[in-house]
Amino acid sequence: MRLALIGHRGVGKSSLLKRLKKYFSSKQGNLFYVDLDEEIERRSAKKISELFSESEAHFRQIELDVFKSLVMQHPSLIISTGAGFPLKEIPSDFEKIWIRRATDSAGRIFFDR
């Protein structure tokens, strides 16, 4: 299984990833679950906000490099991507699930953050 969770910031991709891990862990033990932003922070020893403030282009390159590394290392992968991740970079053999949530009248999705 190869699955990418995509969507805007704050819609629940990471929460869904945790729920999927609980659901599938007893059924398919060979799956690797990763939150891309958490993995970037772990590998770089910096917060996403720090990397992004240094340079968006540099952050996007790190993001893509880490994603490609994970895809190559793990044939069975469920990954939660960050908002703004380029969909064209997700391999065609991945199922993509777009996570959404209701918005207010102005189109904002960050209720009571």
Side-chain angles (χ1 to χ4, degrees):
M1 176 185 300
R2 292 165 68 86
L3 180 66
L5 305 177
I6 59 175
H8 293 288
R9 187 171 59 107
V11 297
K13 298 180 301 287
S14 297
S15 296
L16 178 57
L17 179 71
K18 289 174 187 171
R19 290 188 356 224
L20 290 173
K21 184 175 183 177
K22 282 184 180 180
Y23 178 77
F24 284 122
S25 63
S26 63
K27 296 168 179 46
Q28 295 185 7
N30 63 343
L31 276 172
F32 185 75
Y33 305 84
V34 65
D35 181 304
L36 184 56
D37 284 349
E38 288 178 7
E39 185 66 13
I40 291 167
E41 287 182 344
R42 188 184 71 73
R43 290 185 186 198
S44 69
K46 292 183 178 182
K47 294 283 187 190
I48 295 297
S49 58
E50 292 176 71
L51 293 168
F52 207 87
S53 69
E54 292 171 9
S55 161
E56 181 178 356
H58 179 67
F59 166 74
R60 294 295 178 193
Q61 188 59 57
I62 292 169
E63 181 182 47
L64 185 56
D65 292 345
V66 171
F67 178 82
K68 287 180 177 180
S69 169
L70 291 165
V71 167
M72 298 219 18
Q73 290 173 357
H74 304 285
S76 295
L77 174 66
I78 299 178
I79 188 165
S80 171
T81 64
F85 188 81
L87 298 181
K88 68 181 181 180
E89 298 296 341
I90 300 173
S92 62
D93 64 332
F94 269 72
E95 293 291 328
K96 298 162 198 76
I97 297 179
W98 181 38
I99 311 302
R100 306 178 42 173
R101 66 185 268 198
T103 64
D104 65 9
S105 60
R108 295 175 295 195
I109 57 174
F110 310 111
F111 299 120
D112 302 308
R113 261 191 100 120

